[in-house]
Amino acid sequence: MEAVVLLLLGLILPAVPHLASGIPVQPHFDYKKLAGLWHRLAMVAKGEDQFIIGPEIQISPMRKGDLSVGMNFIVRLACRFIDFRYRNAGQPGVFNVYHANGDLSTIHVVDTDYNGHLVLHTETAGNSALSLFVRGSDAPESLKKMFEDYVRSLGFSKTDIKYQSQDEQCPLSRPRPKKNQR
């Protein structure tokens, strides 16, 4: 009987899309399908440091399951582009980002359909955030409801959700000013 239970656990556990941390991860995750521009529709954060990022991210798949993720940050009221390397953490849909200041961020791809929405959970030094990205500029109410369900289940407050405003500063898709050429 014990052998049967162990066999069943051996078959079932690898298919469970949750980590020991309790953060869900997209089942059958395929990192290559995330390529392209994603617009942040909503975000919720908790912790001392608030995440101040621009409204878009550009994802490019790399070798060995890593991702290059370009985004703009607002630093001293100026828009600064930073390209992060999301390093495969050994489990599909889980990435580590090593920062110059020694901090480590862990990113979980919570949910995606690859064409319409992407939900990312980010944790850095006790601060955490949950972000909803979309390929276009709008999302159906059912997608917002799904995000709110993740917000509640992951311990965030629904009242803290910040939805993207139309006049949000610092997008990637805005043409960048050309440098003066001599």
Side-chain angles (χ1 to χ4, degrees):
M1 182 67 171
E2 287 180 32
V4 172
V5 171
L6 290 174
L7 177 63
L8 287 174
L9 285 176
L11 295 173
I12 293 171
L13 288 179
V16 175
H18 293 272
L19 296 173
S21 69
I23 308 299
V25 178
Q26 173 71 34
H28 312 293
F29 177 71
D30 183 351
Y31 78 103
K32 292 178 184 175
K33 292 182 179 181
L34 289 181
L37 185 65
W38 292 90
H39 307 275
R40 183 172 38 88
L41 180 67
M43 182 176 182
V44 63
K46 63 182 175 181
E48 292 179 20
D49 294 331
Q50 292 297 315
F51 294 82
I52 303 173
I53 63 172
E56 300 167 328
I57 59 173
Q58 178 71 43
I59 299 177
S60 302
M62 302 177 77
R63 293 180 296 161
K64 299 181 183 178
D66 293 351
L67 298 172
S68 173
V69 179
M71 63 184 75
N72 285 335
F73 275 84
I74 301 169
V75 179
R76 295 187 184 114
L77 302 177
C79 200
R80 305 267 190 246
F81 178 80
I82 299 176
D83 190 33
F84 289 97
R85 167 82 49 99
Y86 283 32
R87 296 188 186 278
N88 181 332
Q91 177 180 351
V94 181
F95 299 91
N96 289 321
V97 177
Y98 299 94
H99 302 280
N101 66 359
D103 285 345
L104 169 68
S105 292
T106 302
I107 293 93
H108 296 85
V109 177
V110 174
D111 193 356
T112 186
D113 65 357
Y114 304 103
N115 297 317
H117 75 274
L118 170 63
V119 179
L120 295 179
H121 181 275
T122 305
E123 193 161 29
T124 306
N127 300 302
S128 57
L130 190 67
S131 303
L132 171 62
F133 294 91
V134 294
R135 291 282 191 187
S137 58
D138 293 322
E141 286 302 315
S142 61
L143 188 57
K144 292 177 183 177
K145 169 74 171 97
M146 177 205 66
F147 183 69
E148 290 173 3
D149 290 343
Y150 279 123
V151 165
R152 278 192 295 278
S153 71
L154 293 172
F156 295 95
S157 172
K158 182 180 170 185
T159 59
D160 292 336
I161 297 174
K162 293 180 175 75
Y163 287 95
Q164 184 76 30
S165 71
Q166 292 299 329
D167 55 338
E168 191 84 35
Q169 298 297 311
C170 208
L172 289 175
S173 58
R174 180 184 303 150
R176 296 180 192 197
K178 294 182 181 179
K179 294 181 179 178
N180 293 336
Q181 296 182 0
R182 296 177 191 196

